[in-house]
Amino acid sequence: MSDIEQLPRLHPGRLAALPAAVRRPGYPRDRLRAGIVHLGIGAFHRGHQAEITEAAIEAAGEDGLRWGIVGVSLRRPDTRDALKPQDGLYTLALRSATAQTLQVVGAVLDVLVAEEDPEVVLDRIAHRDTHIVSLTVTEKGYCHDPATGELNRQDRGIVEDLSGATHPVTAIGYLARGLARRMERGLGPVTLLSCDNLAANGDTLRRVLLAFCAQVDPALHDWVAARCTFPNTMVDRIVPRTTPDDVAQVSGALGLYDAWPVVGEPFFQWVIEDRFAAGRPQWEAGGAQFVAEARPFEVLKHRLVNGSQSMMAYMGVLAGWPTTDRVIAQPAVHTFIADTMARETQPTLPPLPGLDVDAYRASLLPRFTNPALGHRTRQIAMDGSQKIPQRLLAPIRDRLAAGQPFPRLALGVAAWLHFLRGYDEAGNAFPIEDPLAPALADAMARAARETEKLFDPRTREQARVRIIAGFAPVFGDLAQSPVFVDTVAAQLEMLCAYGVTGALGRINGAA
């Protein structure tokens, strides 16, 4: 046991012992009730929505006490095991390059593990106190086709859930069965609130859930369609995975052992369509913004923030730069990301009245350079098949439609394809962590086989890109576009010949 683990454990009975600078719950936590069930209680939820729910509870007085959170981990017990001895308390450390603030968050009342207690999870969704079921299950958790947003009926989990298995496997399955219990018990509707980085996340959740319900029970489909709401949202805060060093540093600052703190950047944004079926917390008290339509903000974030992060991640993994601050510190990367945002991505954004997009874009580079976060490129690079369609391929489609060039965005796509080989420029192998990894590996292998006798580099890469882009779940019909194939192939050829640094030097030097 480390010295840090020998400290007294963070617990409600020890909050008074915390240093004065550490914020702590300012409401009677023993009277808090659970109005929110959250599926996927990982670091991002605890560093984003839970913090703002904490502010909403404090701001609303007695009424705020009905908005506690029951978190659900669909598979892994690690968050439950860490937080249960702490009665759900954890520390949020917001770090800039020069400072850190600490806050103990009390909004999470309990954490359930679905694999261990599926009936308890279903009953919690169907509890009369539950008014919102929110999700951060990552893009792959929606069991959808990334290119179309439709339910993937071939997904293994969906197949199992539709087969009538004893307990659900997927988030979609849990939602459907939990809502069926609400309907059977005569309870009111709930709001289903996606907080994941999906295109039209609320609309996507509604589409896949209703498609699932239609196959299970038409009456359930009609009940959900008529009574539940699915607001679209945009979420933004960099929240990297907690490391042992984070645990040690935060616990040392508290003087109490916190087994599972969360680290994040000070920047926060949450844009939500104000369509709630059964009330909501006063999230605006914590800085949330309510709008009639979230899509323009969602596109802004996916393309400028997430698109830049994905390009940095794939280039960083290939070149051996382990964190985004290390990546963006490379002058060639800094120039490339700045130029991509300004010259190729920003022109594809929809109108955003009241927002200075130039200033927003300029604010992103300092966020990426924050060395206190240690945001690992390998973490961002996961699940590329679920991210690339909205982050890079969507703006490429817009530029194709407008007849505009997209060499920098194409280099980002080429970097992902190069990443899918599974080894970096030094020859070090790494696993491809992606729900579509087997199918992508098959496409890559087929492309290699069918092009091995093509000795002209440009011809070979064009053929490779055409074959891989034929993988419709990611690329849709882009393989039919000669401009797309040729542009990505040219960048892939350059990346293969000169490496990340060489390719960046050449594209930055182009007019």
Side-chain angles (χ1 to χ4, degrees):
M1 180 180 291
S2 69
D3 291 343
I4 290 295
E5 291 175 284
Q6 294 180 39
L7 289 170
R9 192 71 172 258
L10 177 64
H11 189 270
R14 297 190 175 106
L15 289 176
L18 290 171
V22 179
R23 288 187 60 194
R24 63 210 75 186
Y27 51 88
R29 191 167 180 264
D30 58 335
R31 292 168 51 201
L32 193 61
R33 304 190 310 278
I36 301 170
V37 174
H38 184 83
L39 305 185
I41 184 160
F44 184 77
H45 171 71
R46 294 192 293 130
H48 189 276
Q49 299 100 45
E51 182 210 11
I52 305 311
T53 302
E54 183 88 345
I57 293 168
E58 292 185 347
E62 187 70 27
D63 185 64
L65 297 176
R66 64 192 182 105
W67 293 114
I69 300 168
V70 169
V72 177
S73 175
L74 292 174
R75 293 178 179 82
R76 295 169 54 183
D78 48 0
T79 301
R80 187 273 315 276
D81 293 348
L83 296 191
K84 196 167 190 65
Q86 302 174 184
D87 197 27
L89 298 178
Y90 66 90
T91 310
L92 174 61
L94 298 183
R95 294 176 179 171
S96 68
T98 58
Q100 172 176 272
T101 63
L102 299 176
Q103 177 181 3
V104 173
V105 176
V108 177
L109 289 172
D110 196 8
V111 177
L112 307 175
V113 179
E115 278 196 348
E116 297 179 8
D117 299 303
E119 289 297 317
V120 176
V121 172
L122 294 172
D123 277 340
R124 192 69 245 182
I125 293 172
H127 196 284
R128 66 177 62 255
D129 284 347
T130 299
H131 303 295
I132 296 171
V133 181
S134 52
L135 303 88
T136 49
V137 293
T138 75
E139 295 91 340
K140 64 186 174 186
Y142 292 77
C143 306
H144 70 306
D145 183 325
T148 65
E150 301 295 333
L151 178 69
N152 178 5
R153 290 176 170 80
Q154 282 70 53
D155 180 271
R156 290 183 181 180
I158 292 296
V159 170
E160 186 171 345
D161 282 347
L162 287 173
S163 73
T166 305
H167 299 299
V169 174
T170 67
I172 301 303
Y174 271 99
L175 288 176
R177 290 208 198 180
L179 292 172
R181 290 191 184 186
R182 293 191 72 86
M183 181 180 72
E184 291 162 3
R185 295 172 182 178
L187 297 176
V190 295
T191 299
L192 288 306
L193 187 67
S194 171
C195 300
D196 282 295
N197 280 321
L198 289 172
N201 54 10
D203 295 339
T204 298
L205 176 59
R206 186 178 194 275
R207 186 182 307 114
V208 297
L209 180 60
L210 289 179
F212 183 96
C213 291
Q215 290 196 231
V216 173
D217 178 3
L220 175 62
H221 168 278
D222 295 345
W223 187 88
V224 173
R227 307 193 68 188
C228 296
T229 56
F230 299 77
N232 293 302
T233 71
M234 183 271 266
V235 296
D236 194 6
R237 169 172 271 168
I238 297 173
V239 182
R241 186 175 293 157
T242 301
T243 68
D245 285 345
D246 295 327
V247 174
Q249 194 277 332
V250 170
S251 298
L254 295 179
L256 297 173
Y257 175 52
D258 183 348
W260 211 238
V262 178
V263 174
E265 64 171 337
F267 179 89
F268 166 88
Q269 192 172 22
W270 192 8
V271 179
I272 315 168
E273 292 176 353
D274 202 354
R275 296 186 288 110
F276 287 79
R280 62 168 176 81
Q282 291 184 21
W283 280 318
E284 56 266 52
Q289 178 182 357
F290 287 92
V291 298
E293 182 184 8
R295 182 184 177 276
F297 297 92
E298 162 210 299
V299 173
L300 171 82
K301 197 258 180 159
H302 288 174
R303 298 187 183 187
L304 286 183
V305 181
N306 299 135
S308 299
Q309 288 176 317
S310 284
M311 291 190 289
M312 288 191 292
Y314 296 120
M315 292 177 184
V317 172
L318 291 171
W321 302 319
T323 58
T324 52
D325 60 292
R326 287 273 304 278
V327 178
I328 201 69
Q330 311 299 318
V333 177
H334 193 282
T335 298
F336 169 76
I337 294 296
D339 285 351
T340 302
M341 290 194 295
R343 299 170 66 173
E344 295 188 19
T345 307
Q346 184 172 330
T348 72
L349 299 178
L352 285 146
L355 179 69
D356 185 337
V357 181
D358 288 336
Y360 178 90
R361 170 173 52 80
S363 74
L364 296 181
L365 292 170
R367 289 177 62 193
F368 297 149
T369 63
N370 187 344
L373 297 179
H375 203 188
R376 302 198 67 80
T377 51
R378 284 284 301 279
Q379 179 188 356
I380 302 168
M382 293 170 56
D383 303 336
S385 68
Q386 313 296 299
K387 299 172 179 177
I388 292 296
Q390 65 260 23
R391 297 183 181 193
L392 300 181
L393 298 183
I396 285 175
R397 289 179 188 278
D398 286 349
R399 292 189 72 80
L400 278 169
Q404 297 170 334
F406 51 94
R408 294 165 185 82
L409 289 167
L411 183 58
V413 176
W416 180 55
L417 298 181
H418 213 38
F419 167 88
L420 290 176
R421 299 174 309 163
Y423 56 89
D424 63 22
E425 292 179 351
N428 301 308
F430 50 81
I432 303 300
E433 300 178 74
D434 193 294
L436 298 182
L440 290 167
D442 288 346
M444 295 286 288
R446 179 183 162 220
R449 285 194 310 271
E450 296 189 15
T451 62
E452 62 182 349
K453 295 183 179 179
L454 298 175
F455 298 106
D456 175 68
R458 179 60 55 86
T459 303
R460 182 176 63 249
E461 299 309 335
Q462 286 173 334
R464 285 182 64 203
V465 170
R466 190 175 297 108
I467 291 166
I468 299 167
F471 185 61
V474 172
F475 291 95
D477 60 357
L478 280 172
Q480 307 305 313
S481 168
V483 176
F484 175 79
V485 171
D486 292 350
T487 305
V488 174
Q491 305 303 55
L492 186 57
E493 177 191 2
M494 185 168 64
L495 199 56
C496 291
Y498 301 108
V500 170
T501 301
L504 288 170
R506 282 162 174 77
I507 201 166
N508 289 341

